[in-house]
Amino acid sequence: MQEDEQATQSASAARFRRVPGTLNPSNTPTNTSGTVVVPDSIDASGKVDVTLALQNFLNKVKDNSQIQFKQNGLYRMDGSIVLTKRVGLQFYGNGAKFFTVTDGTSAPQSNLPDEIKWLWPRKRGQFMVRGGSGHRFYNIEIQGANIYNWEEEASYNSKFEAQNAFDIEGAKDVEIRDCHVHNVYGDFVYVGIWNAGSMEWADGVKISNNNFHDNGRQGVAIVGASNVLVEGNNIYNTRRSTFDIEPDNEGSGASNIAIRNNKIGEGRLLFLASGGQQGSINNVEVSGNYLNGHALSIGVYTKIAGSRKNWRIINNTSENYPFGSPIALMTFEGVYNVEVTGNIHDFQVGQPTDAVKLISVTGYKVENNIFKGNRQDLVLENTTQKEFVQ
């Protein structure tokens, strides 16, 4: 009987150990129409707003092109660059900075579709990718208009909370690498559904080796996407949760998400938040992350049975943040198949804090963690079935 139980757990665990791997990992662009250099007629000194000039230039660039920006150029961009149903545009920033000095209220909007104009300036993203596929963003710096320290209440402003640096909606095969993003009012990267047309999820998004710090909302928000890899990034000074995987309507959700080998610094609220009652969030792996000055705090909640499935939190380490709270470090509610293994975390001595709390969970494995100073490693509430389910 014990052997059968172990075999069932091993087989079930193997089923959700997949990680996203649909991207072309090569640094060399493929199937390109050629290299296009941003012309000198587009100011690279930062003296004037070049939003419309840059948009008009990109509209004329053929799909499957490499786009080279002036090395260490300064491009003032008070509006948004919108790429709609484009294919294979590969942006080589060469250290160029795209920055804004306004909150966007009076920024140019003639290049925007109506659905963005209606939400302006709340939804001013620096680069907005809507549908299409095969885009690359390399070695780009983005500086937003958020002048407030991340710890100040004013750093979050609901009027500007969707001013994301990279706004990926319904696009496929997108990579953001070696970029530096800071001082935005919204998220560093937002990945979700393009609300026009077929409501397709984004798919095959890779976010790697970036430096993200100081913002007004989430670090990386995944709202409607599959096959997303967030790896090797340096993320700190986030106003809200570092990672937010939270569908906002019945058509959104997430599947095959890997958050691994990132370095996380100080930030407010949770390390990973996954609330919301709509949409499914399945096959999520959080592994090998190093947190310095931030708790490995995780909240995954749903009242809809089966809408959260296959979550693995493995081999993460948090240092210099002894956790103390009446709420457990990690809480999972209504989730099928939860694995929490190999994690290291300190707790405040004398605080009545639990490490992992499972509420109405079906299938779990919580073992081989090093939790120092906590009250209990595992608390079960309305959770009786340990075996994983298919």
Side-chain angles (χ1 to χ4, degrees):
M1 183 70 177
Q2 184 176 5
E3 292 180 354
D4 291 341
E5 178 181 330
Q6 291 176 344
T8 299
Q9 291 192 23
S10 297
S12 189
R15 275 192 291 273
F16 70 94
R17 283 178 182 166
R18 301 186 303 274
V19 295
T22 60
L23 286 161
N24 169 21
S26 173
N27 296 347
T28 304
T30 57
N31 300 321
T32 60
S33 299
T35 298
V36 180
V37 178
V38 176
D40 291 338
S41 59
I42 297 178
D43 178 63
S45 70
K47 295 179 180 179
V48 298
D49 180 16
V50 297
T51 303
L52 296 182
L54 188 54
Q55 182 74 72
N56 291 335
F57 162 72
L58 292 173
N59 290 344
K60 297 174 183 177
V61 172
K62 294 180 180 179
D63 284 346
N64 299 309
S65 293
Q66 300 179 35
I67 301 163
Q68 295 280 351
F69 289 89
K70 184 176 181 179
Q71 186 171 7
N72 300 320
L74 296 175
Y75 296 93
R76 177 176 167 180
M77 203 165 71
D78 293 332
S80 297
I81 295 300
V82 182
L83 306 175
T84 302
K85 294 184 179 180
R86 298 299 305 272
V87 176
L89 295 182
Q90 300 162 11
F91 294 82
Y92 286 78
N94 297 313
K97 176 191 282 191
F98 298 82
F99 72 99
T100 179
V101 296
T102 75
D103 61 21
T105 301
S106 58
Q109 301 175 40
S110 61
N111 63 316
L112 303 176
D114 287 341
E115 62 266 24
I116 295 179
K117 289 180 181 178
W118 295 334
L119 298 172
W120 196 268
R122 180 183 178 271
K123 196 174 175 58
R124 177 192 61 178
Q126 265 68 34
F127 287 92
M128 305 185 72
V129 183
R130 301 161 64 76
S133 64
H135 300 306
R136 304 288 185 264
F137 298 90
Y138 297 145
N139 196 17
I140 289 172
E141 180 179 355
I142 294 177
Q143 176 181 306
N146 195 339
I147 63 174
Y148 299 100
N149 183 284
W150 66 280
E151 293 182 295
E152 296 180 67
E153 289 296 327
S155 67
Y156 170 77
N157 189 323
S158 60
K159 295 180 180 179
F160 312 126
E161 66 171 338
Q163 291 191 3
N164 310 312
F166 293 100
D167 201 285
I168 312 300
E169 299 184 2
K172 303 181 185 304
D173 186 19
V174 177
E175 183 175 10
I176 301 167
R177 192 184 73 233
D178 298 326
C179 293
H180 179 198
V181 177
H182 55 100
N183 298 102
V184 293
Y185 272 109
D187 309 330
F188 301 123
V189 183
Y190 173 95
V191 187
I193 288 176
W194 182 23
N195 289 323
S198 60
M199 297 282 288
E200 288 189 12
W201 291 10
D203 179 71
V205 178
K206 182 177 181 180
I207 304 164
S208 64
N209 301 322
N210 301 289
N211 188 24
F212 296 150
H213 64 91
D214 295 280
N215 74 346
R217 204 170 69 166
Q218 280 80 236
V220 176
I222 302 171
V223 177
S226 56
N227 299 308
V228 178
L229 173 61
V230 185
E231 181 175 42
N233 302 284
N234 189 27
I235 307 175
Y236 60 98
N237 293 358
T238 51
R239 177 64 190 171
R240 293 194 161 189
S241 298
T242 306
F243 298 102
D244 184 69
I245 308 176
E246 189 169 8
D248 55 10
N249 60 59
E250 293 181 358
S252 57
S255 178
N256 294 337
I257 311 298
I259 300 170
R260 64 191 186 199
N261 301 328
N262 300 284
K263 293 182 179 180
I264 309 300
E266 291 183 302
R268 292 184 70 252
L269 305 185
L270 298 177
F271 165 67
L272 191 157
S274 183
Q277 302 305 323
Q278 304 181 81
S280 62
I281 304 176
N282 302 324
N283 304 324
V284 177
E285 179 179 305
V286 180
S287 62
N289 299 287
Y290 174 72
L291 289 71
N292 187 357
H294 199 302
L296 185 65
S297 47
I298 296 173
V300 183
Y301 302 94
T302 181
K303 299 293 186 182
I304 303 175
S307 66
R308 305 288 187 274
K309 189 174 182 180
N310 302 336
W311 282 70
R312 305 182 72 226
I313 315 299
I314 57 174
N315 301 328
N316 303 283
T317 298
S318 174
E319 293 184 338
N320 300 315
Y321 196 100
F323 186 73
S325 171
I327 301 173
L329 177 67
M330 305 181 202
T331 301
F332 297 85
E333 180 178 3
V335 183
Y336 288 4
N337 303 340
V338 174
E339 179 180 349
V340 180
T341 60
N343 302 287
I344 300 173
H345 209 297
D346 289 342
F347 290 76
Q348 292 182 23
V349 177
Q351 291 290 329
T353 303
D354 300 318
V356 181
K357 186 173 185 179
L358 305 181
I359 305 170
S360 302
V361 166
T362 302
Y364 65 91
K365 179 181 180 181
V366 179
E367 60 185 42
N368 298 325
N369 301 288
I370 301 176
F371 296 138
K372 303 175 184 178
N374 60 306
R375 183 172 60 180
Q376 298 183 77
D377 283 0
L378 177 62
V379 176
L380 301 178
E381 183 176 310
N382 196 30
T383 297
T384 58
Q385 180 175 327
K386 189 173 183 180
E387 297 84 4
F388 292 147
V389 296
Q390 296 186 10

